[in-house]
Amino acid sequence: MAFHPSQEEAIRHGDGPMMVLAGPGSGKTTVITHRTRYLIQEKGVDPSNILVITFTRAAAREMKERFEALTEGNSPRVSFGTFHSVFFTILKYAYRYQASDIVREEQKIRYIREMMEQYQLEIEDEHEFVPAILSEISLVKSEMMSLDHYYSKNCSEAVFKKLYEGYEERMRRAGLLDFDDMLVMCCQLLDQRPDILKAWQNKFRYILIDEFQDINKVQYEIVRKLALPGNNLFIVGDDDQSVYRFRGARPEIMLGFLKDYPEAGTVLLGTNYRSTREIVDTAGTLIAHNKKRYEKKLTAAKGAGKPVQTCMSRDPREETLRIVGEIQDYGAAGYQLEDIAVLYRTNLNPRLLVERLMEYNIPFTMKDSLPNLYEHWVSKNILAYIRAARGDRKRSNILGIINRPNRYISRDALEDGEVSWDKVKSFYQDKGWMVERVEQLEYDLLMLKDMAPVAAVNYIRKAVGYDDYLKEYAQFRRMKAEELLDMADQLKESAGGFKTMEAWFDHMEEYKSKLMEQARSQKEVREGVSLMTMHSSKGLEFRVVYILDANEGITPHRKAVLEEDLEEERRMFYVAMTRAKERLHVHYAAERYGKKQERSRFIGEYLKQGK
């Protein structure tokens, strides 16, 4: 097999540390597998002294399969694994841990939910809140930081501290570890037991790490200890593709590697074998706007192709219609649907596109599950008002509206399965102001009864005061109110397509059953246009890529305020762009929910005009 000179240089590197900067589509897996073979066959290294670390089990399996195909299965003793599997092996020998000692995901979720009940936390978006809190707990542990210096992104510090300490206490009581405990314990073990450290240093004399840009602080500390004294540390990654800061990944570790190892060799795999020159150059122009990065010049082995298409639509409806039309054109031109991907910043973005693909019977697969707009808690609250106005007095339905906005009505006032407003008023008969609140609610429900869908949504948001409730809740959850108001806007946008409530509710049922059908067929056949978030697209490639909703506030996401957040958002956009092999289309809307929208700053940056 003929290698590019830079690949050859990396593969044949001798002893000592080496950093391989691997641009998108530059053949990094090839380099790692061939270097492993080179160490064994040409340098005479014992295969059992080689450790290859990746970030996911799937990547470790693929790397091992590629290596075995290369050596025809003759070097089975090379260790391939994830950070967690390697560190767990070290703990297993030291402390006799078993796989059953590792906490399961559903147990972690149960612990947080139990504490939410214990502390009587009324969380509307529990499905988002629980994973977000677990992610923050993981971050605090993997950074080995003190709780006193941690500012929670999801709730007050006092609430986060209670949840963190309660979680830890439940874990200890059950005698369980999570993945972050493994890392911290492994680090402490190697610090406290030089004999154990020495044994593993003798075992792993050559360490190769893939996707090094995604490493966190504890992982790096352990690897540095294991690599001593020879420092045969061969790291491969691309600081421009580091997109997991929210999980504790620190691109600055890769950026500081040469300070930690001044003697390290470096090589740039600068030839992109995936994409055309236009895609490589345009993406390169964009990422050059990041200040904290290794500068690199990438070239396309494929040569010239078609220019990157940037397209403005009037609104999201026109945007999705245009994309669907173009996908049909690609099909007519001989492209397979599997050659095409639509990428977006979050899994809330593609709802309209999904509806449109269903409408035109274009098969699609989704890597991430699509949340049903009508089952989001904001939609559920608004729809509960509409159902109550149309006669649904079930206690479960009324509980969805009674204190949104807060009317301070006690649950005890709703004692029956079917709510009677007269009984609620009689519960508060000695408190005139509370009776007035109940009467106002009755009046609002009467007003809503015969309204058209869009008028009803507007009335609930503005006249009833539901938007104010969302703003208050956003403050409590430390989120931007726009995120929740966007959900209400999406619901209003959907309502605008229907003249009667019956027609709108029929659409919701049909949409729900189509989504369920889609989820079922995903398991059976995986064919059609690929829809996925930018995060999920990492490592994949497609002949044709569409980037959906390239607008300010979406990408870069409105949560990105600090410079390092914006740089991460730019890296994410870069990852999305570099998935395309032949054609790249970037779409944005001039208006959304009747409000003017700015196109993403990233478009101006890659067009070099910054308009």
Side-chain angles (χ1 to χ4, degrees), residues 15 35 39 43 45 49-51 204-208 232:
D15 286 353
R35 169 157 179 79
L39 287 173
K43 282 196 49 111
V45 175
N49 290 151
I50 300 173
L51 171 63
F204 297 132
R205 292 173 182 271
Y206 289 83
I207 301 174
L208 297 85
N232 294 316

Side-chain angles (χ1 to χ4, degrees), residues 178-412:
D178 61 22
F179 285 139
D180 301 292
D181 294 327
M182 269 188 232
L183 303 191
V184 174
M185 287 175 73
C186 190
C187 197
Q188 289 167 343
L189 172 72
L190 299 181
D191 273 343
Q192 292 156 8
R193 294 288 302 273
D195 55 329
I196 291 176
L197 174 59
K198 188 87 187 94
W200 289 104
Q201 286 170 337
N202 289 337
K203 163 83 175 149
F204 297 132
R205 292 173 182 271
Y206 289 83
I207 301 174
L208 297 85
I209 304 178
D210 187 21
E211 304 282 11
F212 188 80
Q213 74 278 354
D214 293 333
I215 200 164
N216 71 28
K217 189 178 164 185
V218 193
Q219 290 165 341
Y220 185 50
E221 284 197 23
I222 298 171
V223 163
R224 291 197 70 189
K225 293 181 209 300
L226 290 176
L228 289 167
N231 287 335
N232 294 316
L233 198 50
F234 186 88
I235 67 158
V236 182
D238 181 5
D239 53 302
D240 289 336
Q241 294 186 70
S242 178
V243 294
Y244 291 115
R245 266 182 72 235
F246 67 96
R247 284 190 201 157
R250 292 286 170 261
E252 50 270 31
I253 293 174
M254 188 166 192
L255 292 170
F257 188 76
L258 296 179
K259 284 194 191 118
D260 295 335
Y261 296 97
E263 75 282 19
T266 58
V267 66
L268 168 67
L269 302 184
T271 304
N272 180 313
Y273 296 96
R274 175 188 299 153
S275 311
T276 62
R277 186 192 307 147
E278 286 77 3
I279 293 167
V280 171
D281 290 351
T282 306
T285 302
L286 170 78
I287 201 63
H289 284 79
N290 271 6
K291 295 182 179 71
K292 291 181 183 168
R293 63 184 290 264
Y294 287 115
E295 218 170 294
K296 24 188 128 47
K297 179 71 187 132
L298 303 182
T299 55
K302 269 186 176 175
K306 301 269 189 188
V308 172
Q309 294 291 313
T310 305
C311 183
M312 179 186 87
S313 297
R314 191 176 59 249
D315 57 24
R317 285 184 181 279
E318 185 178 283
E319 180 186 11
T320 52
L321 260 179
R322 188 169 272 166
I323 291 173
V324 166
E326 287 183 15
I327 288 172
Q328 288 175 316
D329 292 344
Y330 274 118
Y335 282 75
Q336 300 297 308
L337 291 177
E338 292 72 34
D339 294 332
I340 303 170
V342 183
L343 310 182
Y344 34 85
R345 177 61 183 83
T346 76
N347 61 6
L348 293 171
N349 297 129
R351 179 186 60 84
L352 272 180
L353 180 67
V354 165
E355 288 190 5
R356 197 73 74 212
L357 290 168
M358 287 173 174
E359 195 183 314
Y360 283 80
N361 291 317
I362 296 173
F364 63 92
T365 67
M366 298 194 71
K367 199 164 178 192
D368 319 88
S369 64
L370 176 70
N372 184 342
L373 164 68
Y374 308 112
E375 287 176 3
H376 189 281
W377 64 269
V378 170
S379 300
K380 279 182 165 176
N381 287 174
I382 292 172
L383 294 171
Y385 268 105
I386 292 169
R387 289 194 180 97
R390 289 162 63 83
D392 184 347
R393 297 282 179 78
K394 285 197 293 291
R395 186 174 187 269
S396 55
N397 191 62
I398 299 301
L399 281 173
I401 67 171
I402 198 76
N403 285 316
R404 296 174 176 92
N406 208 339
R407 299 176 179 90
Y408 303 95
I409 296 172
S410 164
R411 283 172 172 244
D412 298 340

